[in-house]
Amino acid sequence: MKPINIALDGPAAAGKSTIAKLVAAKLSMVYVDTGAMYRAITYKYLQLNKTENFSELVESTELSLTYDEEKGQRVILDNQDVTDYLRENDVTNHVSYVSSKESVRSFAVEKQQELAQQKGIVMDGRDIGTVVLPDADLKIYMIASVEERALRRQKDNELRDIQSTVEQLKKEIAERDHYDMNREISPLKKADDAITIDTTGMSIEEVTDKILTLVEDI
């Protein structure tokens, strides 16, 4: 198979990261979690007591992704591995706001495009097919009901020992959807040539197999 880039977009907790990791592994490609980049910048924003000087924040930021055979992708922020902090509630509740800032998105998009130059990338996020990789060989737009996404997030939080309730998560996810879809900079939307996959009621294996079948048709 020739080297290709695959873009997976969709709202929070649609299963993008889980599926992207599996697809990348099946195809011996590199997985890039762009959401982790924005979460890392959000983590720094919170450490700096919610500074509003986002240009200065990113100018002073060193951000890279590494791969550990046991732990998978790791996020290195200013020479510190911050991966284990990125799913905390405070980061989750502020990441949409931070990632809506033009200087933050420009900083992250530039890094993401650099990673994809050699192809062989599976990248997930909210503006991959529309902004980051508009020429991706395959674009997938993953969706799922708010209730199902809340249940998934709750299960993930329980595994991480993060306190939450399904009702709380449904409210937060619906609010984040509205914010992400209506922000001025790189709003969440389906690329014109993207293929929609509704993962509601589908298993991880079913979604992965569906995408692998689409890859075969390229």
Side-chain angles (χ1 to χ4, degrees):
M1 186 180 76
K2 67 177 182 179
I4 64 172
N5 284 334
I6 300 175
L8 272 73
D9 286 308
K16 302 183 299 297
S17 297
T18 299
I19 299 302
K21 289 176 190 175
L22 287 171
V23 169
K26 293 280 188 181
L27 297 174
S28 298
M29 295 171 67
V30 176
Y31 165 61
V32 178
D33 179 1
T34 64
M37 291 183 172
Y38 290 111
R39 284 177 174 273
I41 298 170
T42 302
Y43 175 78
K44 183 171 182 175
Y45 160 80
L46 294 170
Q47 294 299 302
L48 295 175
N49 296 315
K50 301 182 181 180
T51 175
E52 289 300 308
N53 192 335
F54 289 98
S55 295
E56 185 176 292
L57 185 152
V58 295
E59 285 172 5
S60 66
T61 295
E62 292 184 19
L63 182 63
S64 62
L65 303 178
T66 62
Y67 185 80
D68 182 280
E69 288 189 4
E70 293 185 1
K71 298 181 178 180
Q73 181 179 276
R74 310 299 292 175
V75 183
I76 310 302
L77 173 70
D78 298 334
N79 298 313
Q80 178 187 1
D81 185 340
V82 297
T83 312
D84 295 337
Y85 305 108
L86 302 186
R87 295 290 169 179
E88 293 180 348
N89 285 336
D90 209 18
V91 173
T92 296
N93 292 335
H94 288 87
V95 66
S96 284
Y97 173 70
V98 173
S99 61
S100 71
K101 301 304 178 181
E102 185 172 4
S103 55
V104 172
R105 296 209 76 84
S106 296
F107 172 82
V109 168
E110 182 178 351
K111 288 190 173 295
Q112 292 156 15
Q113 290 176 334
E114 287 174 359
L115 290 169
Q117 284 180 356
Q118 301 301 315
K119 290 210 167 187
I121 294 290
V122 180
M123 188 176 290
D124 77 306
R126 285 168 178 72
D127 61 352
I128 311 305
T130 54
V131 176
V132 182
L133 301 179
D135 297 323
D137 301 271
L138 176 63
K139 300 177 185 178
I140 304 294
Y141 190 75
M142 292 176 56
I143 61 173
S145 68
V146 170
E147 183 171 3
E148 178 138 342
R149 286 186 281 147
L151 290 170
R152 291 174 184 172
R153 182 59 58 80
Q154 176 67 10
K155 184 177 179 179
D156 186 52
N157 283 352
E158 288 172 356
L159 291 173
R160 298 172 184 273
D161 199 27
I162 296 174
Q163 298 299 312
S164 62
T165 66
V166 173
E167 288 305 313
Q168 168 199 343
L169 292 172
K170 285 170 64 175
K171 180 176 181 292
E172 290 175 357
I173 287 172
E175 289 174 349
R176 184 167 181 186
D177 284 352
H178 179 78
Y179 192 95
D180 287 348
M181 292 176 181
N182 292 279
R183 66 189 181 205
E184 291 185 12
I185 309 297
S186 298
L188 167 64
K189 63 180 181 179
K190 176 187 173 184
D192 292 338
D193 53 348
I195 298 169
T196 299
I197 299 179
D198 187 342
T199 67
T200 305
M202 292 181 70
S203 68
I204 292 171
E205 293 76 15
E206 287 173 333
V207 180
T208 302
D209 288 344
K210 186 174 183 65
I211 294 176
L212 293 176
T213 299
L214 293 171
V215 172
E216 291 176 0
D217 295 334
I218 295 177

